[in-house]
Amino acid sequence: MSTAPSPTAARRWCDALQQKLMDAIDAAWAMADGSDDPAVIAKAREQARLAGQIAGMARKVLSLDPPQPKPANLPGFIHEAFDRLDAATAPILAAAARKEAAEAGKPAAAQAVAMQNALRKLKRR
């Protein structure tokens, strides 16, 4: 089973900064929420605005970091889950197809046959 790639230094820095910014915004909110004084509210607004500006700069720094490679293959447990789902739903889908064919009294449409063949090639049904 593959593991997620470890975060880069830029990602760790950004995560730590994000926590600081969230704490600063919470403190500004608490300051503004607990007062009716316009000066206190203005100071809280300025602190929140500054946090937003710093967050914008942090996004720019993080964008310089190359994206992490995605795993080439899905982990095994996801394949197993799809296989179990396919096994559980195959009889239901087959019965529904037989019922539709019996009700229609004619063979499946060419498009449906093509789709079933494509799914079979992908080993999905």
Side-chain angles (χ1 to χ4, degrees), residues 64-123:
L64 297 174
D65 194 35
Q68 294 294 315
K70 294 182 181 179
N73 296 326
L74 292 174
F77 65 89
I78 294 176
H79 287 293
E80 291 171 21
F82 276 117
D83 291 342
R84 284 192 307 251
L85 180 64
D86 288 342
T89 57
I92 298 168
L93 292 174
R98 282 192 304 272
K99 182 179 177 184
E100 285 180 17
E103 288 176 356
K106 54 186 175 186
Q111 185 178 4
V113 171
M115 184 59 71
Q116 289 169 353
N117 290 336
L119 289 171
R120 204 172 297 113
K121 283 181 184 177
L122 292 172
K123 296 181 180 162

Side-chain angles (χ1 to χ4, degrees), residues 7-60:
T8 62
R11 180 77 245 177
R12 289 189 306 271
W13 171 82
C14 192
D15 290 343
L17 181 63
Q18 180 179 10
Q19 185 60 50
K20 290 177 187 177
L21 292 171
M22 290 184 333
D23 293 341
I25 291 172
D26 286 342
W29 178 262
M31 185 174 27
D33 194 36
S35 176
D36 289 334
D37 183 10
V40 173
I41 293 173
K43 182 173 179 167
R45 184 178 293 133
E46 185 58 33
Q47 286 177 346
R49 185 176 296 121
L50 178 62
Q53 290 171 346
I54 292 172
M57 287 184 266
R59 278 191 300 275
K60 290 177 184 176

